[in-house]
Amino acid sequence: FRSGFRKLSRDELALNLLDHQDFRVRLRAQFELVRRALDGEKETLQLLGTLAVTDYTTGINQRHAIWALGQIGRKNSEALPLLRRVLTHRIDEARAQATKTLGDLRDAASEEAFLELLQEDKSVRVRFFAANALGRIRSKKAIDPLFELLRKNADEDPFLSHAAVVALHSIGDLDPVLARAASDNKAERLAAILILRRASSPQLTRFLNDPDLSLVTEVARAINDLP
């Protein structure tokens, strides 16, 4: 830290310091690599792309490379194809971090990949970030798959259910949400109530006659809480 990171070689930063035991050192090395890539060093960008898809014992280098590509991608779109390659990586956490990063970047070009991850990935964490990403890009194609996710999850994992609800609210199409009032699936109807609550929709009242008392209670709570 005293001598600075700018004098260090690319390999020292990427291959040694990105795997350092101290997070502060790793972060400074990451930021320096990002600075160099944004200054036009193609070799640095390609090296980060290689690190992002390479397996490591700890995976620390890989995660920092993915995060670095996300930083670069905000200003240089050449980083995005390098990030998309990680969406099919064999390591769950690599796919999760790439999905989260591309979702934060609202990368609409990854829509089909996000949909595949949402529906087929074995990792709950990856599906969670895929739901978030589809909400961020407001994917209309994701509406039915998100409700399918809610049905399969059946509120077993509250984080996954929450991600699906937030994504559906972000997409902003309330017609298919209102259609779930007639669904025979409790998880779908609960999600519809929560989405309508987020939208401050008076259509919430149609759920006051739901056959499930816990859902009627949720509607009453929403009506009481909202202005």
Side-chain angles (χ1 to χ4, degrees), residues 187-201:
E188 276 197 336
R189 301 200 309 278
L190 175 59
I193 291 167
L194 296 174
I195 294 163
L196 292 170
R197 175 189 173 119
R198 284 176 167 270
S200 299
S201 172

Side-chain angles (χ1 to χ4, degrees), residues 94-109:
R95 296 194 307 280
Q97 292 299 329
T99 304
K100 178 181 185 301
T101 302
L102 285 164
D104 289 345
L105 293 171
R106 290 173 170 78
D107 183 41

Side-chain angles (χ1 to χ4, degrees), residues 37-202:
L38 289 176
D39 281 351
E41 286 190 14
K42 299 285 187 181
E43 298 84 356
T44 298
L45 181 61
Q46 292 304 317
L47 178 57
L48 288 169
T50 300
L51 286 173
V53 294
T54 304
D55 293 354
Y56 289 92
T57 305
T58 63
I60 293 175
N61 304 61
Q62 190 174 46
R63 287 197 293 274
H64 280 281
I66 291 168
W67 299 339
L69 289 172
Q71 286 181 272
I72 298 165
R74 295 181 184 279
K75 295 183 178 180
N76 183 353
S77 61
E78 291 181 25
L80 299 181
L82 301 175
L83 264 177
R84 293 180 196 127
R85 294 189 302 170
V86 192
L87 294 176
T88 56
H89 201 281
R90 71 172 188 84
I91 296 177
D92 294 353
E93 188 59 19
R95 296 194 307 280
Q97 292 299 329
T99 304
K100 178 181 185 301
T101 302
L102 285 164
D104 289 345
L105 293 171
R106 290 173 170 78
D107 183 41
S110 295
E111 181 180 32
E112 294 300 326
F114 292 152
L115 285 167
E116 184 175 346
L117 292 169
L118 180 78
Q119 297 172 90
E120 299 180 14
D121 202 278
K122 66 182 187 296
S123 166
V124 173
R125 185 165 162 79
V126 173
R127 297 202 300 276
F128 171 88
F129 285 126
N132 283 339
L134 288 162
R136 286 179 180 275
I137 64 172
R138 298 184 175 181
S139 170
K140 294 292 182 71
K141 291 182 181 179
I143 293 174
D144 287 339
L146 285 166
F147 274 112
E148 178 64 23
L149 178 71
L150 287 161
R151 284 195 297 273
K152 289 181 177 178
N153 185 48
D155 294 321
E156 182 178 337
D157 187 316
F159 294 97
L160 201 55
S161 294
H162 178 69
V165 165
V166 172
L168 286 162
H169 173 252
S170 297
I171 291 167
D173 188 350
L174 291 185
D175 288 339
V177 174
L178 291 169
R180 264 63 186 190
S183 172
D184 59 359
N185 184 276
K186 179 182 175 180
E188 276 197 336
R189 301 200 309 278
L190 175 59
I193 291 167
L194 296 174
I195 294 163
L196 292 170
R197 175 189 173 119
R198 284 176 167 270
S200 299
S201 172

Side-chain angles (χ1 to χ4, degrees), residues 198-223:
R198 284 176 167 270
S200 299
S201 172
Q203 295 294 338
L204 265 170
T205 55
R206 70 166 60 188
F207 287 88
L208 283 171
N209 296 317
D210 193 278
D212 190 303
L213 183 59
S214 65
L215 298 190
V216 177
T217 304
E218 193 67 43
V219 177
R221 185 177 294 120
I223 292 171

